[in-house]
Amino acid sequence: MKKQILLTPGPSQVPPRVAEVAARPIIHHRTPEFREALARIHKNLQCVMGTTGDVFILASTGTGALEAGVANTLSAGDKVLCAVAGKFGERYSEICQAFGMNVVEIVKEWGGLVTADDVRKALESHPDTKAVFVTHSETSTGALHPLHEIGPVVREHGALFIVDTVSALGGVPMKMDEWGIDMLAAGSQKALMIGPGLAFLGMSARAWKAYETSTLPKFYFDMKHYKKRWEEKGETPFTSAVTLCLQVDEALQMIMEEGLDNVIERHRRLSRACKAGVAAMGLKFYSENRSDIETVVRVPDGIDGVALVSMAQERFGIKLSGGQAQVKGKIIRIAHMGYATEQDVILALSALEMCLARMGFDAPLGAGVKAAEEVFQNEM
Amino acid sequence: MKKQILLTPGPSQVPPRVAEVAARPIIHHRTPEFREALARIHKNLQCVMGTTGDVFILASTGTGALEAGVANTLSAGDKVLCAVAGKFGERYSEICQAFGMNVVEIVKEWGGLVTADDVRKALESHPDTKAVFVTHSETSTGALHPLHEIGPVVREHGALFIVDTVSALGGVPMKMDEWGIDMLAAGSQKALMIGPGLAFLGMSARAWKAYETSTLPKFYFDMKHYKKRWEEKGETPFTSAVTLCLQVDEALQMIMEEGLDNVIERHRRLSRACKAGVAAMGLKFYSENRSDIETVVRVPDGIDGVALVSMAQERFGIKLSGGQAQVKGKIIRIAHMGYATEQDVILALSALEMCLARMGFDAPLGAGVKAAEEVFQNEM
């Protein structure tokens, strides 16, 4: 017998208190009871996003919210800049291409970052840029883009700043208004602690201004419907995904009870401990620019990364992720987001060191766990 | 104390056996365990839809699947026919207009039907029609369109036949292949017995042929991604809405255990009993063309329909629906779909007759229930 512990970068674990909500008898979505839940979600999401502007709930996965960011602000042929340094940066570019944008990619190696300076240079070369697309936490590599530095550059130019924080919201700081973000796309199944199937969209006044001239066809993701219904009735325009909404209401209440700053600090602490652990084991990080929602390490030479992930799950019940696309089998991703605790980090590091030892990697058992314990003990 | 019983045309009740699945610890969507669930859903959905062709699962509500039907087959400026005889027929037309179609509406009064003959005449007047859009069960009025008669007419012309069965699938017969339907959009929260948030799309070989020349921009609902990922890995291209998928897997297994024919026959029996009950109470039906998933009655003159719905819920715990848009306050909708039983029909009729009596409607108590009991007893 072993407990199964999910430490993948989405879906992440769902707290029992949140899971239980989904098992209650379903309620109708056009009722005072449900409108109260939507109002709470709305207020708490504004807090987590760092905005006093519009916030919407979509029945879709994060990719739907990414598409909404494009479809509501732009028109075919518009020039856009896409920061591409991993799989999800590539996806933003693919979405823009599918909608007929004139896409200029700012490409860095996987694991690298597109910096504010890169964006400034690209905007100087392409002054007719309408929008800049950046992935906040690039989950495929573990890197975190410096939005607080990029935002002012984009704002100075006058372009729209459109951000994918699908994997990061609630795990790292987000100040949508302060950083000048116009469209912000987030997902439910990461730090927000519920299953996949809901997406969240923040939308600035500047984005609404751009909406007026956007000619891309849209219906399900046409935010006009969402704004109208919200303002008139406090509801969603199409049927709400009732159970998922009630779950995110509960999860956001948990975040508010813990305190958003404490939640962010917990992610920082888990990240420091996990990264200290893998460093102590002699492993190399995949990216120098590390997000606090996951720890991404290179698989040592001579070790089969796919077999390593399988062994960690089958022998120790710890479900980690391998790499996607060009880094398949070459990296291991340990997520510590949402309902993740010190115990999860200890167990992940322990499983990793036992598996690596079994596969012939030369490192003393216990070294990684010891380093993590030191981080935790210093903060007791 | 009273039990709350949800008898609205979506969301409908969720069986405890299905609800409980959502409370289990979440699993990852790229695992053998989850792929097995998707494979079962796929096979059982084909059965319920009556197709051997492609079937896809979308993380969206039904409207997303309606949009996918447009975006994957057509191009801006294409001429389409939309059957409009209620709110959801209007929605199909709105979606087509949002995507730049040249829309010809075949309009009937709410509660009426667009017949095969209407479609034939419209196709003769508009021989350049690329697609015909019809709502199967028009939930806003309670009418059921005769798809088996319309399909051959559309096929003879050569246009695509695109159908909204969001509210009806699993509650009334559906023979997608036999009736010549090319795109079939369905939802999770009706007869399929789970909460809102999943949609299902059936897609014929002819629809794929049309896909090749379609130029409408799309990404989240671009079925190319879904087909590729399904054929290569038996997965969805974007993150699956894991809990909802596991719930629909359970719900479809319940349907298969009861037997699809028995499920359809149960809907017919509940519908006959409910309709016999409201007729015995002296109420008039809103539509002459009655779907078996709901019973829609006119509110008697002098009675406030909105107050009637409130009283049924507050005094008796029975949640019915009123009318939408132009029939707000004028009709009462009693849904008997999905996890609905004889008990639900008895309680709905009982609450309705007590509320109507209280509001001054002249009908003897018990008359509606008696008529329903006679239907059930004849089939004991």
Side-chain angles (χ1 to χ4, degrees):
Chain A
M1 186 168 79
K2 63 184 72 73
K3 295 170 184 162
Q4 295 296 324
I5 298 180
L6 186 64
L7 298 176
T8 57
S12 63
Q13 296 177 61
V14 176
R17 173 176 158 187
V18 173
E20 178 268 326
V21 168
R24 295 183 195 164
I26 195 163
I27 63 171
H28 198 267
H29 57 294
R30 311 289 188 207
T31 56
E33 183 182 359
F34 191 69
R35 280 190 290 270
E36 281 169 27
L38 288 180
R40 264 193 309 271
I41 295 169
H42 187 265
K43 177 171 65 77
N44 290 333
L45 264 182
Q46 283 185 314
C47 173
V48 175
M49 286 188 171
T51 184
T52 57
D54 282 332
V55 165
F56 302 105
I57 305 168
L58 309 175
S60 77
T61 64
T63 303
L66 299 183
E67 173 171 324
V70 177
N72 284 274
T73 55
L74 298 164
S75 302
D78 280 351
K79 183 175 278 186
V80 300
L81 289 180
C82 290
V84 178
K87 180 171 186 290
F88 292 97
E90 289 173 3
R91 176 165 297 175
Y92 244 156
S93 177
E94 285 167 22
I95 295 173
C96 287
Q97 288 169 42
F99 280 83
M101 301 298 106
N102 177 359
V103 177
V104 177
E105 292 186 344
I106 313 176
V107 180
K108 290 292 176 84
E109 274 202 353
W110 277 41
L113 285 185
V114 173
T115 65
D117 209 41
D118 296 327
V119 172
R120 179 179 294 109
K121 283 177 190 154
L123 286 170
E124 282 166 7
S125 301
H126 300 280
D128 53 339
T129 296
K130 290 273 180 63
V132 177
F133 290 83
V134 178
T135 309
H136 191 192
S137 188
E138 177 51 85
T139 321
S140 66
T141 70
L144 188 79
H145 276 100
L147 301 179
H148 60 292
E149 294 170 3
I150 299 173
V153 172
V154 177
R155 184 52 53 94
E156 192 182 339
H157 172 277
L160 294 167
F161 190 25
I162 304 186
V163 169
D164 163 2
T165 187
V166 169
S167 64
L169 190 72
V172 301
M174 169 49 67
K175 299 183 184 302
M176 182 179 169
D177 291 353
E178 190 180 319
W179 299 345
I181 297 168
D182 296 303
M183 296 289 279
L184 187 68
S188 54
Q189 76 275 24
K190 315 279 183 167
L192 295 185
M193 305 191 293
I194 72 160
L198 281 190
F200 310 105
L201 195 69
M203 194 164 170
S204 77
R206 293 174 78 249
W208 280 114
K209 187 86 182 158
Y211 176 94
E212 290 169 20
T213 56
S214 161
T215 59
L216 287 175
K218 49 197 167 273
F219 190 86
Y220 188 67
F221 295 125
D222 187 335
M223 300 318 297
K224 163 187 75 188
H225 303 310
Y226 292 77
K227 188 172 177 64
K228 183 167 186 280
R229 190 76 179 215
W230 174 256
E231 291 179 352
E232 288 177 359
K233 301 206 166 176
E235 297 175 351
T236 61
F238 313 120
T239 308
S240 300
V242 173
T243 41
L244 296 175
C245 287
L246 294 175
Q247 286 189 289
V248 86
D249 180 28
E250 190 75 21
L252 285 166
Q253 288 183 58
M254 285 181 70
I255 289 174
M256 294 304 142
E257 288 165 16
E258 185 176 351
L260 181 56
D261 289 345
N262 296 328
V263 169
I264 301 291
E265 180 50 38
R266 172 166 54 79
H267 281 81
R268 276 202 199 104
R269 186 166 66 249
L270 299 185
S271 182
R272 270 201 302 274
C274 194
K275 287 170 176 64
V278 300
M281 290 161 67
L283 297 171
K284 305 293 180 203
F285 295 98
Y286 181 60
S287 173
E288 292 306 303
N289 317 287
R290 296 161 202 155
S291 165
D292 281 339
I293 60 164
E294 62 176 342
T295 296
V296 181
V297 299
R298 291 179 191 276
V299 175
D301 290 343
I303 303 280
D304 176 346
V306 174
L308 180 57
V309 169
S310 295
M311 189 189 288
Q313 176 169 21
E314 282 159 24
R315 180 63 185 81
F316 300 107
I318 305 294
K319 172 81 177 151
L320 308 173
S321 281
Q324 300 163 287
Q326 65 188 62
V327 290
K328 188 175 166 70
K330 296 179 186 168
I331 62 174
I332 297 286
R333 298 182 292 158
I334 308 167
H336 26 72
M337 56 168 71
Y339 189 56
T341 65
E342 295 176 344
Q343 297 104 313
D344 294 312
V345 169
I346 296 291
L347 290 174
L349 291 169
S350 169
L352 193 57
E353 53 193 20
M354 289 189 281
C355 291
L356 281 169
R358 170 59 103 181
M359 295 175 88
F361 179 68
D362 185 26
L365 287 180
V369 169
K370 173 171 179 281
E373 287 175 350
E374 284 167 355
V375 170
F376 293 145
Q377 203 179 40
N378 284 339
E379 303 189 2
M380 270 176 79
Chain B
M1 184 169 80
K2 61 184 73 72
K3 295 172 185 163
Q4 296 296 325
I5 298 180
L6 187 64
L7 297 176
T8 57
S12 63
Q13 296 177 61
V14 176
R17 172 177 160 188
V18 173
E20 178 269 325
V21 168
R24 294 184 195 163
I26 195 162
I27 63 170
H28 198 270
H29 57 294
R30 310 289 188 210
T31 55
E33 184 182 358
F34 191 69
R35 280 190 288 271
E36 281 169 26
L38 288 181
R40 264 193 310 270
I41 295 168
H42 188 265
K43 178 171 63 79
N44 289 334
L45 265 183
Q46 283 184 314
C47 173
V48 175
M49 286 188 170
T51 183
T52 57
D54 283 330
V55 165
F56 301 105
I57 306 169
L58 308 175
S60 79
T61 63
T63 303
L66 298 184
E67 173 170 324
V70 177
N72 283 275
T73 55
L74 297 163
S75 302
D78 280 352
K79 182 174 278 187
V80 300
L81 289 181
C82 291
V84 178
K87 182 172 184 291
F88 292 96
E90 289 174 3
R91 176 165 297 175
Y92 244 157
S93 178
E94 286 166 21
I95 295 173
C96 287
Q97 287 169 43
F99 280 82
M101 301 298 105
N102 178 359
V103 177
V104 176
E105 291 186 344
I106 313 177
V107 181
K108 290 292 177 83
E109 274 203 354
W110 278 40
L113 284 185
V114 173
T115 64
D117 209 41
D118 295 326
V119 172
R120 178 180 293 107
K121 283 176 190 156
L123 285 170
E124 282 167 6
S125 301
H126 301 279
D128 52 340
T129 296
K130 289 275 179 61
V132 176
F133 291 82
V134 178
T135 309
H136 191 191
S137 188
E138 177 52 83
T139 321
S140 66
T141 70
L144 189 80
H145 276 100
L147 302 178
H148 61 292
E149 293 170 3
I150 298 173
V153 172
V154 177
R155 185 52 52 94
E156 191 181 341
H157 171 277
L160 292 167
F161 189 26
I162 304 185
V163 168
D164 163 4
T165 187
V166 169
S167 64
L169 191 72
V172 299
M174 168 50 67
K175 299 184 184 300
M176 182 179 169
D177 291 352
E178 189 180 322
W179 299 345
I181 298 169
D182 295 302
M183 297 289 278
L184 186 68
S188 54
Q189 76 274 25
K190 315 281 186 171
L192 295 184
M193 303 192 294
I194 73 160
L198 280 190
F200 310 104
L201 195 68
M203 194 165 170
S204 75
R206 293 173 79 248
W208 280 114
K209 187 85 182 157
Y211 176 93
E212 290 169 20
T213 56
S214 162
T215 59
L216 287 176
K218 52 197 166 271
F219 190 87
Y220 188 67
F221 295 125
D222 186 336
M223 301 318 297
K224 163 187 73 188
H225 302 309
Y226 291 78
K227 186 172 178 67
K228 183 166 186 281
R229 189 78 179 213
W230 174 256
E231 290 179 351
E232 286 177 0
K233 302 205 165 177
E235 297 175 352
T236 61
F238 313 119
T239 307
S240 300
V242 173
T243 41
L244 295 176
C245 287
L246 294 175
Q247 287 190 288
V248 85
D249 180 27
E250 190 75 22
L252 286 166
Q253 288 182 59
M254 285 180 70
I255 288 173
M256 293 305 142
E257 288 164 16
E258 185 175 351
L260 181 57
D261 289 345
N262 296 328
V263 169
I264 302 290
E265 181 49 38
R266 171 165 55 77
H267 281 81
R268 275 202 200 106
R269 186 166 67 249
L270 299 185
S271 181
R272 270 201 303 272
C274 195
K275 287 169 176 64
V278 300
M281 291 161 69
L283 298 170
K284 306 292 180 204
F285 295 99
Y286 181 60
S287 173
E288 293 306 304
N289 317 286
R290 295 160 203 157
S291 164
D292 280 338
I293 60 164
E294 62 178 342
T295 296
V296 181
V297 299
R298 292 179 190 275
V299 176
D301 289 343
I303 303 279
D304 177 345
V306 173
L308 180 59
V309 168
S310 295
M311 188 188 288
Q313 177 169 21
E314 283 159 25
R315 180 62 187 82
F316 301 107
I318 304 296
K319 173 82 176 148
L320 308 173
S321 281
Q324 300 163 287
Q326 66 188 63
V327 289
K328 189 174 166 70
K330 297 180 185 167
I331 62 173
I332 297 285
R333 297 182 292 158
I334 307 166
H336 26 72
M337 56 169 72
Y339 189 55
T341 64
E342 294 176 345
Q343 298 104 312
D344 294 313
V345 169
I346 296 290
L347 290 174
L349 291 170
S350 168
L352 194 57
E353 53 193 20
M354 288 188 282
C355 290
L356 282 170
R358 170 59 103 179
M359 296 175 87
F361 180 69
D362 185 26
L365 287 179
V369 170
K370 172 171 181 281
E373 285 175 350
E374 284 167 356
V375 170
F376 294 144
Q377 201 180 42
N378 284 341
E379 301 190 3
M380 272 176 79

